[in-house]
Amino acid sequence: METCSGEKASPVTQAYVRQRHAAVRPFLHEGREARRQPVIIVGGGPVGLTTALTLARYGVRSVVIEQDDGTCEGSRAICVSRRSLEIFSQLGAASALLDKGLSWRGGRSFYRDREVLHFEMPSQPGERLPPMINIQQYYVEQALLDCAEAFDSLIEIRWQSRVTGLTVLSDHVAVQIETPAGAYVAEGSWLVASDGGRSGVRDALGLSLSGTQYEGRYVIVDIEMDSERPTERYAWFDPPSNPGSTILMHKQPDNVWRIDYQVRADEDPEEAVKPENVLPRVQSHLAMIGETAPWRPLWISIYNAKCLTLERYLHGRVVFAGDAAHLVPIFGVRGMNSGVEDAFNLGWKLAFVAQGWSPLSLLDSYSDERRYAAVENMRQGAKSTEFMAPPHRGFELMRTAVLGLAGEHPGVRTLINPRQTAAIALPTSPLNLADNAGFEGGLPPGAIIQDAALAHVTADANDAPSPVQTFLGTVLGKEVTLIYFGTAAHLPHGWSREITGRQAKGQPVTVVTVLPEGTRSEMADRADGADTVRAVCGDDRFHSVYRLFDAKAGTAYLLRPDGHVLGRWRDLDRVDPALALAGVFQDDAVRCMAEGAQS
């Protein structure tokens, strides 16, 4: 392999090999697919595949329509957040990503050739998942595709398939699809549009994004280079190698480095991505930071920041997710990560509606919640964008002043902080139940749970309780979960019957009882359908789970399948009214009874 310096580069070990897939046309009758699909997903990237896997967990079939013939080319979205890893863990994909990806916890910013910021993201020794990993998007897509193989009866992926038109009716969507094997029409009860920033579904419905588009452009370059530089986020402002520019740098698996640099306002975008213009700038930067190893370019692209969103993400039988619904700036890595959160939020709700467990109105909460999150992501992303690529002279002067002062005045360094993505609470969600009095801390309705160390009680060979180290995030599953903090593993009178009744109707509801450390728990004390764990208290690596939830004996938390808190109580008399009032489960009789009791 020839490098930019003319030397030989070391071969990349265990590099990704992209698989290509042929187009397949289903069985047709008079040009139409013979059966109506429960869900059609347009777009087979991380968002579409996460949606399909989430639906499959609940037994809901989907067909994924993907225009390409395989996973993406180029690194694209490379930073996977802890929240996305939590979601991928639920779907079975996290292990492969953690094995391949490079974890990191902080980064450094430089003004010219002087370091002015060293930041670290929240983390604790021994935590289950790191704050962030770097890994190319094609590895993420492949990990999700590998998981989809386990659901071959519930997930069908149709490659080289392009949507050319659609008709939205009251109870289904008819989709016109073109493939090299021939065109046809498919029908789905629901359609999820996860087909990216240039969404054809969005255009077909005559919808448009609104917001702000920034002028600053960045060239993105993947290079192969052997370097011992630690895995961190690196940023240079006005570096001597490229005066007036801003440069970002990330390490990826397979000896691949990602370099993003700002181009001048007067540069033509088509000229800016030509190798003869890109490679000298990369070489100049590498020389400046002392990287002398041979290197070669792998992929070049260009990007400009946008803060754009649809007004609503639900349009009849069509639901939008990811870049098809909103576009956020690259800074702070909120693009793919926010799309994965969209998919996980939508997946369980759409499955609950498709299975008849929940009313249609549950999907309205998806639009409300995820648009709220998109606006918050854009608010944070806009601040980072205006610092990374000042929109006018005033911002540029302010940034220069901040960078000049940051070396000697720590108080101004927060203005340089890149505001890395974090899980967004949903305090205004229509699903939230009124908060219960008596809590001085903990997690209010709409908050998202944090991982905590636990001891999972299992039976040993003699059927005696045997605690095993685990984490709260691994105990929770796909169900609506009631966490009960008690002094015994059995639930208060009546709870077990109500939970078991919902389980008998096929509704995914479960109970986790959390006992203080040292509590004696016989396996016979378990309630039907309840799991039992012990809190690990006094461990310096973690806050006690009791402190995290501001819990004491009798405290109960009701959690959604995506980990957000529905409600919490110091003394919960009945479970069913809470579930009905939250609007998660379809139960008109209980809903009317509960609403009457409240009035």
Side-chain angles (χ1 to χ4, degrees):
M1 291 180 292
E2 293 298 324
T3 69
C4 289
S5 58
E7 302 177 42
K8 294 287 185 180
S10 301
V12 178
T13 58
Q14 298 180 340
Y16 180 75
V17 178
R18 185 174 184 267
Q19 302 177 32
R20 298 184 182 276
H21 303 269
V24 177
R25 192 172 67 161
F27 175 77
L28 303 177
H29 176 70
E30 297 180 351
R32 304 180 78 87
E33 190 168 1
R35 65 169 172 170
R36 180 178 297 176
Q37 304 294 341
V39 181
I40 294 175
I41 300 171
V42 182
V47 178
L49 293 173
T50 298
T51 304
L53 283 166
T54 307
L55 290 169
R57 298 176 82 205
Y58 301 99
V60 177
R61 174 179 165 80
S62 65
V63 171
V64 180
I65 306 299
E66 170 55 44
Q67 185 170 340
D68 209 341
D69 65 352
T71 56
C72 70
E73 297 186 73
S75 60
R76 300 186 186 270
I78 65 168
C79 299
V80 181
S81 69
R82 176 186 278 132
R83 175 59 179 153
S84 291
L85 289 171
E86 290 170 351
I87 292 170
F88 293 147
S89 178
Q90 291 280 324
L91 302 179
S95 294
L97 299 179
L98 290 168
D99 288 345
K100 185 69 178 180
L102 306 177
S103 65
W104 57 281
R105 290 169 169 77
R108 301 176 188 276
S109 295
F110 302 84
Y111 179 43
R112 296 176 180 159
D113 56 357
R114 181 184 184 189
E115 183 176 315
V116 292
L117 173 70
H118 179 209
F119 75 90
E120 292 188 359
M121 294 177 285
S123 63
Q124 297 289 337
E127 61 196 355
R128 182 170 69 101
L129 298 169
M132 200 83 69
I133 67 168
N134 282 354
I135 189 167
Q136 296 89 324
Q137 183 175 316
Y138 44 75
Y139 280 118
V140 176
E141 294 180 7
Q142 189 60 55
L144 295 172
L145 287 169
D146 291 343
C147 290
E149 290 184 1
F151 295 99
D152 57 351
S153 64
L154 292 172
I155 300 175
E156 180 185 354
I157 300 172
R158 298 180 184 172
W159 303 96
Q160 299 189 56
S161 301
R162 184 169 64 92
V163 173
T164 58
L166 61 99
T167 304
V168 183
L169 303 171
S170 61
D171 63 343
H172 73 280
V173 179
V175 187
Q176 300 167 30
I177 300 172
E178 185 177 282
T179 79
Y184 65 97
V185 174
E187 293 184 354
S189 297
W190 296 92
L191 184 144
V192 175
S194 56
D195 52 341
R198 297 184 177 90
S199 171
V201 174
R202 192 177 62 221
D203 291 343
L205 294 184
L207 301 172
S208 59
L209 303 173
S210 60
T212 302
Q213 180 162 311
Y214 294 90
E215 293 300 323
R217 289 187 174 88
Y218 274 74
V219 167
I220 301 172
V221 191
D222 283 347
I223 67 170
E224 178 195 330
M225 178 181 68
D226 188 7
S227 171
E228 297 301 319
R229 190 176 295 268
T231 306
E232 294 182 304
R233 175 197 184 270
Y234 298 96
W236 288 265
F237 298 93
D238 192 21
S241 61
N242 288 269
S245 181
T246 301
I247 298 177
L248 301 174
M249 193 168 175
H250 276 281
K251 188 176 185 178
Q252 305 174 68
D254 305 330
N255 288 343
V256 176
W257 285 83
R258 163 80 165 264
I259 298 174
D260 302 24
Y261 65 82
Q262 187 180 10
V263 299
R264 299 189 311 272
D266 61 348
E267 286 188 80
D268 180 86
E270 293 185 5
E271 292 292 320
V273 294
K274 290 183 176 179
E276 59 265 30
N277 294 321
V278 172
L279 304 188
R281 292 193 186 185
V282 173
Q283 180 58 54
S284 176
H285 174 69
L286 295 176
M288 183 197 79
I289 62 175
E291 293 288 355
T292 59
W295 62 278
R296 69 183 183 103
L298 302 174
W299 179 70
I300 300 173
S301 186
I302 196 166
Y303 167 86
N304 71 312
K306 303 175 181 69
C307 288
L308 304 171
T309 181
L310 288 172
E311 288 300 314
R312 292 280 300 165
Y313 298 170
L314 177 63
H315 292 263
R317 290 273 166 166
V318 179
V319 197
F320 289 87
D323 286 354
H326 48 74
L327 291 169
V328 296
I330 195 172
F331 311 113
V333 298
R334 293 175 174 84
M336 182 188 70
N337 290 302
S338 66
V340 169
E341 291 184 60
D342 287 352
F344 202 54
N345 185 305
L346 172 60
W348 76 266
K349 293 175 180 177
L350 186 54
F352 276 36
V353 170
Q355 294 284 31
W357 301 326
S358 301
L360 284 172
S361 58
L362 184 63
L363 290 176
D364 289 322
S365 71
Y366 163 75
S367 181
D368 292 340
E369 291 174 357
R370 294 312 301 166
R371 192 179 188 283
Y372 172 90
V375 171
E376 177 62 19
N377 277 322
M378 288 189 291
R379 186 178 71 83
Q380 295 291 342
K383 292 179 180 179
S384 296
T385 300
E386 288 165 353
F387 195 89
M388 296 298 297
H392 54 70
R393 179 63 175 164
F395 272 91
E396 187 176 351
L397 290 172
M398 182 196 72
R399 188 183 76 167
T400 300
V402 168
L403 292 168
L405 292 169
E408 304 296 335
H409 300 277
V412 303
R413 292 173 189 167
T414 56
L415 298 173
I416 309 173
N417 194 307
R419 300 178 179 86
Q420 298 298 128
T421 185
I424 294 176
L426 303 170
T428 63
S429 170
L431 301 184
N432 292 348
L433 298 166
D435 202 7
N436 188 262
F439 286 92
E440 297 179 358
L443 304 173
I448 191 163
I449 63 160
Q450 304 168 39
D451 224 347
L454 299 168
H456 193 172
V457 178
T458 61
D460 62 18
N462 299 316
D463 289 330
S466 176
V468 178
Q469 177 75 26
T470 188
F471 293 87
L472 182 61
T474 62
V475 172
L476 301 177
K478 65 183 180 181
E479 300 87 3
V480 173
T481 302
L482 182 73
I483 298 183
Y484 172 64
F485 295 84
T487 55
H490 60 79
L491 296 173
H493 179 70
W495 282 20
S496 179
R497 175 179 54 79
E498 292 172 356
I499 293 293
T500 303
R502 287 200 172 272
Q503 292 171 340
K505 291 189 287 185
Q507 296 177 349
V509 188
T510 192
V511 176
V512 171
T513 58
V514 180
L515 311 176
E517 184 184 29
T519 302
R520 181 172 178 79
S521 170
E522 300 298 335
M523 302 304 289
D525 285 342
R526 288 191 181 194
D528 291 340
D531 203 352
T532 305
V533 297
R534 287 193 184 122
V536 177
C537 304
D539 190 331
D540 292 338
R541 297 177 305 162
F542 296 93
H543 294 295
S544 162
V545 69
Y546 269 71
R547 195 179 320 126
L548 175 65
F549 285 89
D550 186 25
K552 57 186 179 181
T555 297
Y557 273 75
L558 191 61
L559 303 182
R560 300 161 22 158
D562 56 9
H564 286 274
V565 176
L566 280 167
R568 59 180 181 168
W569 301 267
R570 287 301 189 196
D571 183 15
L572 178 61
D573 293 328
R574 291 192 58 194
V575 179
D576 273 16
L579 292 171
L581 284 174
V584 172
F585 287 115
Q586 183 117 274
D587 197 330
D588 293 337
V590 172
R591 182 187 298 278
C592 292
M593 178 184 69
E595 289 175 347
Q598 279 208 341
S599 62

